[in-house]
Amino acid sequence: MFERMTLFERAVGAETDIVSKEMFNWIDDPEISNALKSLRTVMQDTKSIPSVDGSAARLKLEALARSGAFNNLAERIRIALRPEATASVCRAYIEREMQNLPQPVKLYYMGPMFRRERPQKGRYRQFYQIGAEVLGGTDAPPIDAEVIEMLMTFFDKCGLQGATLYINSIGHNAENCRRGYVANLKAALEKVKDKLGPDSQRRIDTNPLRVLDSKLESEQAIIATLPHIADHLCDECKTHYAEVKRQLEVRGVLYQENWRLVRGLDYYMRTTFEITAPGLGSQNAVCGGGRYDGLVELLGGPPTKGIGFAIGEDRLLLSLQESGKGQVQQGRDVYIAWMGERAYATAIRAAKDLRKAGFSVELPPLEQKFGKALGQADKLGARYALILGDNEVSEALWTLKTLADGTQQKLTEPDLLQFLRDQKPTSQ
Ligand code: HAM
């Protein structure tokens, strides 16, 4: 969960919102952290420098602070709670020399990420991602399409309804491709600067592409008039994008193109995609991803192709719940109502066997009258009550009550297991 801050500054981009505004980070050494704080105070108030105690060590520190070397040292030990995991996966790929494994290397992760965002429905400061990355090998368009196909199949299996796939290509970082487009976009934005809000005005200088991401109502009509990146892609990127779309069609994956889909992380190139799902309000992106050839190299590894995605697990569950799916099954499969010492010994064994067979079982720890036990089974939402008294144990015939309709039957132990197995669905 921890990484060096510099990893994200380099990979995700120091100017992105994620890194510049939303990261939880600190210098992981209280002494250096405090020294840095007091030095900064001294440096801010230059008048106080002559009056500070002039010990050699102090003077040396001040000289260091002035030269910026101290800051550099401090920044090298700054650590952060990861806001995403693609940078970490690339770091691990390099560290573990995974370029020596058969390529491509296909990796996945599940875990918590942290962003200091304004919390609201579907947006949390600690949230969970399920991600996958394909590293190394070729950048052939079928890889992009296959990754997306896998995602859509997964959502389908989860029973997620109304998932919409948006795709775009943001080209590559060259004058005849994205850089040229960004210059064009910047010029167009300068012309309408007065009509934009403060955030977008600032982004004209820091990251013009991000203006396309704006959700401000007043800016939508202006953004609609801006140049499209598709008209500025170089021939290779254009061909790559056309082939990704064709490959999606071959696989029967439905998509919509969205020329404004630029994504908020700097490492992307060519294919970008996002999937939205209903029931999430304004935070409706349930997954984001794209191609990031060159990221491994940027972090000090060999030239490596890469593509991947991350699903927002919290949002996926929210959307499933909103549509009535993904309800956690309450209740139990079997509630064991027992009376008597001998019956309890059998009940313990029955609970063990049923649990081993994959059923959820409630075994009350204390003896209670059958009437009370059955009432409790009802309250817990159990599907069946297994009734074990002296008679059942002596006859080796167990009583199984179906709580929904009150019917009862006597079954031998093996028949009981078989009967329950046949009565799907269970909580398994
Ligand atoms: P991302 O678009 O920043 O991409 O995040 C992916 C998904 O994580 C979002 O679509 C959303 O569902 C979820 N998510 C993001 N922030 C929050 C939050 N504050 N609360 C709840 N859910 C959130 C990435 O993180 C890239 N690393 C994806 C990627 C992998 N690209 C290539 N490989």
Side-chain angles (χ1 to χ4, degrees), residues 84 86 115 117 122 124 127 129 133 263 267-268 285 308-309 312:
E84 63 104 49
T86 308
R115 296 183 193 177
E117 293 193 89
Y124 314 109
F127 59 98
Q129 283 188 344
E133 316 286 349
R263 312 268 302 126
Y267 51 62
Y268 290 115
F309 63 80

Side-chain angles (χ1 to χ4, degrees), residues 90-111:
C90 291
R91 194 244 326 122
Y93 181 89
I94 299 166
E95 252 174 37
R96 301 283 158 173
E97 299 184 354
M98 289 191 222
Q99 72 270 19
N100 298 329
L101 299 173
Q103 306 291 302
V105 175
K106 298 180 177 180
L107 303 166
Y108 76 92
Y109 50 86
M110 292 183 267

